[in-house]
Amino acid sequence: GDAGFIKDFIQAGRTGAYARVIQTSDITAGDVVSLLKTSADYPSVIEVFQACHSKNSDLDIVRKALLSPIWFYHKKILQDILD
């Protein structure tokens, strides 16, 4: 493997695409899929990613992330930043 991959990945800031499934169901090719944006003031995926991988994290972003639906997946990392 590439020893520098993780560092390069973090520096590139390419986190991939993320979506939250509200209701499970079977879908097939051609079905309509809707993206519903929240009106809540949650940080973006890239903001949380940067906060988790920065030496000088924006604590406002960290606090907002802990209130968001993704907090469960990143709680330990985010909480460690605040502590």
Side-chain angles (χ1 to χ4, degrees):
D2 181 357
F5 174 78
I6 299 295
K7 183 179 177 183
D8 293 343
F9 182 82
I10 291 168
Q11 287 178 342
R14 295 193 177 112
T15 62
Y18 291 83
R20 181 175 174 212
V21 175
I22 304 296
Q23 179 180 348
T24 60
S25 182
D26 293 329
I27 60 172
T28 58
D31 286 351
V32 175
V33 178
S34 299
L35 177 63
L36 304 175
K37 193 167 184 164
T38 182
S39 61
D41 186 27
Y42 297 133
S44 68
V45 171
I46 191 65
E47 288 173 322
V48 174
F49 183 84
Q50 289 169 341
C52 290
H53 297 287
S54 172
K55 292 182 182 182
N56 300 310
S57 298
D58 182 332
L59 298 184
D60 236 13
I61 297 293
V62 173
R63 288 185 192 97
K64 287 179 182 180
L66 284 167
L67 297 174
S68 75
I70 67 153
W71 76 267
F72 179 80
Y73 302 103
H74 302 288
K75 182 178 181 183
K76 175 153 180 32
I77 294 168
L78 294 168
Q79 195 60 57
D80 285 347
I81 293 168
L82 288 178
D83 292 340

